[in-house]
Amino acid sequence: MKGVWWLALFASGVLSKPRCRCLHGDPCWPTVDDFAQLQSTISQPLVHPVPPESACYPESNPSGNCTDVQANAFIGIWRADQAGAMVFPNFETFIFPNGTIEACYLNTTLGFPCEQGSIPTIGVDARTVEDIQAAVKFAVDHDLRVVVHNTGHDLLGRSAARGAFMIWTHHLKNITASPTFVPEGAPENETYYALTLQAGVQWHEAYDAAQANGRFIVGGLTAGGSVGAAGGWMQGGGHSAFSPQHGLGVDNVVQVTIVTASGEHLKANSYLNSDLFWAVRGGGGGTYGVVTSVTYRTHEISPLTVTTVDCNLSSSAVKKDILTEYLKLWPGLSDAGWGAYLTMLTPASFSLLMVAPNVSLADTNATLTPFLDFVRNAQEDAVIQIIPFNEFDSFYQAFFGTPDTGVGLNNELISRLLPREVFDDSEHLLDVIMNLDLILLVHVAGGQVSQIDPDSVGLNPAWRNATMLLLSGAVWESGVTVDEYRVVQEKLKDDLAVLESLAPGGGTYFNEGSLYEPNPQHTFFGDHYERLKVIKDTYDPTGLFIVAEGVGSEDWDSSLNCMLV
């Protein structure tokens, strides 16, 4: 009888091992011959990513061009060009269950060895769709953990995973302008002046192409434009200071192409594979397949006026007074199509950039003079500029054309989308801002964003009632112990609870979220989650594409390597 009971349990799967992906170092890992066979089917040599900092090791006799690494390690454009780099190097590291940290630090004097950490050891440098199809087939055949990596500009570490197999899309750089683009299956009279960007195109390249064609495209705004324009930015939603005027990135997509887990290369738009098209527009990157191109509608070039305010606040009282007046401007300005970024990286710093598309210098002055006069009276040394631009490109070159130097640091974020109602109780919002060490108020919602049907795309519906994205976070030194890092984590969790108090049960932006969300399915995707999960299971039934806190991740253990049983 006992034997029958044992067999029954075994047959039912109760005692069977969970299904786990094959990782580098496991006995199941593909052989040299297996990789040679893969090599014969792709256009480029297999890539073997390493942390870029490894060029500086060993310290006594560096193995690579350490001078180049040291000169460029904090520049996003450079990091994006390295297969083994993440923009924020904490996501290159790996923490073992016993607390041991495996990493490769730029500062060689810390005395730690350089190790692989969370960087995949091998992958495909995709230059064609067929390369991606071959990589997907290989990963399926060998049941590998897959990482889709473009620029490494990821604040949840989704484009790195220890022991994984990388599909590197960074060199897919084609850009096609189409003055009369018709999505496949659409009526012939449904045309767009569109730009089709392959997966590796970055925003600085997309902006150059738009300018060359006399058009404007809604995209991300970071110094140097290193963020990918057709990858995770769009799939997470994609915000811009111009979103209140023209909508989010997902609102401007008219077609995508994508390689799914079956190896098929599909077109998706409102008429063809419309469920997949709905899901990839806001349902998260690295989840439904490998996006190979995105076609965006473009807009006519128009003038804009930019206002900047920079100062070091002389006291907390002055800070509170200026913030009180500043918050009174919203959501009225976003309703009028304005966008803004207010950055306070220290308790005393204040750096504001406001963008007013299609608003004249005179009208900008009229709108902002009361606030700017208040700032001048409260903080006499504040530097204030109001600058008109004839078109986006000259603005972009002036404020974002220089390569960024704010990357290459250990960094994690927490965030919340703030609905309009939060501004009805601005006192509570003000208290929260005053008590956080690092704050970014990102005015990229409201206006056109709030006028679009929340169910038109897979994006978190919380965006449609939001006025602002509030971000905070932490930056820490390399070489900390795991206990010191746990202190950072606990502070982030505590601060996240404070943000949650602003809009209980609310949501946030998946691309700039936290790894410590108690309910990531709701916070990142809202009531779209169930439909997104159905679509995910339809196109990726075995869970080939799994990322931290993404759709379907709850079916896997914390390592995302083994399915829960």
Side-chain angles (χ1 to χ4, degrees), residues 61-77:
N61 184 25
S63 60
N65 189 343
C66 183
T67 302
D68 182 58
V69 174
Q70 292 171 332
N72 293 290
F74 301 101
I75 298 176
I77 289 288

Side-chain angles (χ1 to χ4, degrees), residues 147-497:
V147 160
V148 182
H149 185 99
N150 176 16
T151 66
H153 199 290
D154 194 318
L155 284 151
L156 292 173
R158 295 167 296 184
S159 49
R162 182 178 179 81
F165 174 70
M166 178 185 289
I167 301 175
W168 194 28
T169 63
H170 187 58
H171 292 120
L172 288 162
K173 293 288 191 180
N174 286 348
I175 300 176
T176 304
S178 307
T180 55
F181 181 85
V182 179
E184 186 160 325
E188 290 186 5
N189 62 350
E190 184 181 325
T191 63
Y192 303 89
Y193 199 126
L195 281 182
T196 298
L197 314 177
Q198 277 197 311
V201 174
Q202 293 164 272
W203 277 118
H204 71 95
E205 297 161 329
Y207 291 144
D208 287 347
Q211 179 67 15
N213 284 277
R215 303 292 290 179
F216 166 73
I217 185 171
V218 175
L221 294 176
T222 58
S226 60
V227 174
W233 180 85
M234 180 280 294
Q235 293 172 76
H239 67 61
S240 167
F242 294 85
S243 291
Q245 182 78 10
H246 294 294
L248 296 163
V250 291
D251 302 322
N252 286 275
V253 176
V254 296
Q255 185 167 285
V256 303
T257 57
I258 181 171
V259 174
T260 61
S262 68
E264 295 177 278
H265 188 226
L266 302 178
K267 288 182 180 177
N269 56 46
S270 296
Y271 304 91
L272 191 67
N273 300 307
S274 58
D275 55 345
L276 183 59
F277 185 55
W278 184 86
V280 297
R281 289 178 297 157
T287 298
Y288 307 94
V290 184
V291 170
T292 57
S293 72
V294 178
T295 301
Y296 290 99
R297 79 176 79 205
T298 63
H299 304 270
E300 292 183 357
I301 289 177
S302 59
L304 62 145
T305 303
V306 173
T307 303
T308 65
V309 180
D310 291 282
C311 60
N312 285 315
L313 300 164
S314 57
S315 69
S316 59
V318 168
K319 178 179 180 178
K320 186 171 184 178
D321 288 345
I322 290 177
L323 284 171
T324 298
E325 294 305 308
Y326 176 73
L327 293 175
K328 291 177 183 177
L329 298 171
W330 309 92
L333 289 184
S334 56
D335 288 342
W338 292 44
Y341 304 102
L342 174 55
T343 304
M344 294 178 283
L345 298 180
T346 68
S349 66
F350 187 98
S351 181
L352 173 64
L353 171 68
M354 305 181 77
V355 177
N358 269 323
V359 179
S360 69
L361 178 62
D363 287 345
T364 300
N365 267 311
T367 299
L368 293 183
T369 290
F371 169 67
L372 298 178
D373 284 347
F374 186 92
V375 172
R376 289 186 183 98
N377 290 330
Q379 188 71 42
E380 292 182 1
D381 61 351
V383 178
I384 298 173
Q385 299 182 84
I386 303 179
I387 311 169
F389 291 94
N390 291 326
E391 84 293 294
F392 170 81
D393 188 65
S394 55
F395 153 71
Y396 177 78
Q397 296 303 330
F399 285 93
F400 298 99
T402 303
D404 47 341
T405 55
V407 303
L409 303 172
N410 300 308
N411 184 18
E412 289 184 25
L413 293 183
I414 57 174
S415 64
R416 275 298 179 271
L417 286 165
L418 300 187
R420 306 175 73 88
E421 302 80 61
V422 170
F423 290 81
D424 296 336
D425 180 17
S426 59
E427 197 64 37
H428 181 34
L429 173 58
L430 187 61
D431 287 343
V432 169
I433 295 172
M434 291 292 294
N435 286 290
L436 290 172
D437 296 331
L438 181 158
I439 282 285
L440 290 88
L441 305 184
V442 185
H443 298 273
V444 291
Q448 182 65 22
V449 175
S450 65
Q451 296 171 28
I452 294 171
D453 179 4
D455 295 326
S456 62
V457 295
L459 180 74
N460 189 342
W463 271 102
R464 305 305 178 185
N465 189 43
T467 293
M468 179 178 76
L469 176 66
L470 188 155
L471 300 161
S472 187
V475 177
W476 63 96
E477 296 293 329
S478 293
V480 299
T481 66
V482 70
D483 289 337
E484 291 169 326
Y485 174 57
R486 298 300 182 213
V487 172
V488 173
Q489 289 180 306
E490 290 306 313
K491 177 66 162 59
L492 286 167
K493 292 174 185 178
D494 291 344
D495 288 347
L496 181 61

